Amino acid sequence: MTDTAQPQRQSAQFADQVQTMFDRVAGRYDLLNSLMTAGLHHAWRERAADRAEVGTGDSVLDICCGTGDLSFELARRVAPGGNVVGCDFSEPMLDLAREKALDRGAPVRFEWADALNLPYDAGRFDAVTVGFGVRNFADRDKGLREMARVLKPGGRVVILEFTAPRRPPFSTFYSLWFDRIVPVLGRLTPNPEAYSYLAESVQGFPGPEALAAKMDAAGFEQIRWLLTAGGILAIHSGTRE
């Protein structure tokens, strides 16, 4: 998905291309995640789960759950008596998540859903999380409004995403990593366009202040963000009004 080939965001064609891309890379997703983050993505998801502040008996929705790693971390925290729903628009990703759930005995339900039109009642969940998914929304504002809709009043939202660090040496490393190294890694796979898209989507994602403003407009309050991993990751949290 290069600049010349990528359709306009907020279009059905954009959503279809992103979905097809994730369907194709599903079988290698976990391995490449670990390679590209030196295995740190598990710790990052743990920190995101910390910010959700969920506990025994809570109900949580993990949007863009992929192969389920954040969902499993949340399930551990709401047991016993709680429930976690992981949703995604890629069935191959969901199939892998379901296999992992069986292996682990994790009480997570994985189901297909469009993040822009969630099939859940208003005010259903105590917390809603998204790990590395908001940048893939065709319409980020609509997706954020949907997240607010399905939260209970006072419920918490957590968004984990890459963000561009502003100071060297991490800003230099960040640019080198996403401009040079990630595309090279991608060329070693059968789907290099997925890794070109990764770099493009990260570079085009709003900074922490801009994302916080979008969250405010979507109906969240008490919005905070934590920069971690040398400033290359932002964990935003907030509550529904």
Side-chain angles (χ1 to χ4, degrees):
M1 296 179 68
T2 63
D3 289 340
T4 56
Q6 183 172 319
Q8 290 293 314
R9 192 175 285 273
Q10 298 189 342
S11 72
Q13 185 183 4
F14 176 87
D16 287 346
Q17 284 197 11
V18 173
Q19 180 179 359
T20 299
M21 179 189 68
F22 279 107
D23 288 350
R24 288 175 176 168
V25 303
R28 296 173 296 278
Y29 182 80
D30 284 347
L31 173 61
L32 290 169
N33 251 0
S34 293
L35 289 174
M36 289 196 300
T37 67
L40 294 173
H41 63 101
H42 294 295
W44 298 341
R45 288 184 171 90
E46 289 177 6
R47 296 201 72 176
D50 289 342
R51 304 288 278 191
E53 298 182 5
V54 294
T56 301
D58 283 342
S59 178
V60 186
L61 176 66
D62 183 29
I63 300 171
C64 302
C65 66
T67 61
D69 286 341
L70 180 53
S71 302
F72 297 134
E73 181 62 29
L74 293 161
R76 184 178 67 82
R77 297 169 185 238
V78 302
N83 69 88
V84 175
V85 176
C87 69
D88 203 287
F89 67 174
S90 171
E91 281 290 357
M93 290 282 197
L94 290 168
D95 287 341
L96 290 168
R98 292 172 185 130
E99 290 177 12
K100 289 162 73 172
L102 287 173
D103 291 341
R104 301 178 186 199
V108 182
R109 186 168 75 257
F110 291 104
E111 50 196 34
W112 190 95
D114 180 351
L116 305 189
N117 294 284
L118 294 169
Y120 307 113
D121 293 338
R124 173 174 168 180
F125 297 99
D126 297 292
V128 173
T129 62
V130 184
F132 306 111
V134 171
R135 61 187 159 80
N136 299 317
F137 289 178
D139 185 334
R140 291 170 184 148
D141 296 324
K142 184 176 182 181
L144 290 169
R145 290 195 299 270
E146 275 292 273
M147 293 161 66
R149 181 185 67 80
V150 300
L151 267 177
K152 296 177 181 178
R156 290 184 64 79
V157 62
V158 176
I159 299 170
L160 170 65
E161 267 296 354
F162 289 112
T163 191
R166 299 173 179 175
R167 298 178 181 177
F170 290 105
S171 59
T172 304
F173 170 78
Y174 181 92
S175 179
L176 175 66
W177 183 254
F178 283 105
D179 291 344
R180 305 287 182 85
I181 298 175
V182 168
V184 168
L185 289 173
R187 286 195 289 273
L188 301 176
T189 75
N191 303 104
E193 72 280 0
Y195 298 91
S196 296
Y197 168 75
L198 170 62
E200 293 165 6
S201 67
V202 168
Q203 291 166 344
F205 193 68
E209 295 89 351
L211 181 58
K214 285 181 174 291
M215 293 172 67
D216 179 73
F220 296 107
E221 58 183 9
Q222 299 179 18
I223 299 164
R224 298 177 175 83
W225 66 86
L226 168 70
L227 296 179
T228 187
I232 68 170
L233 285 173
I235 306 175
H236 284 68
S237 61
T239 59
R240 180 190 162 189
E241 296 176 355

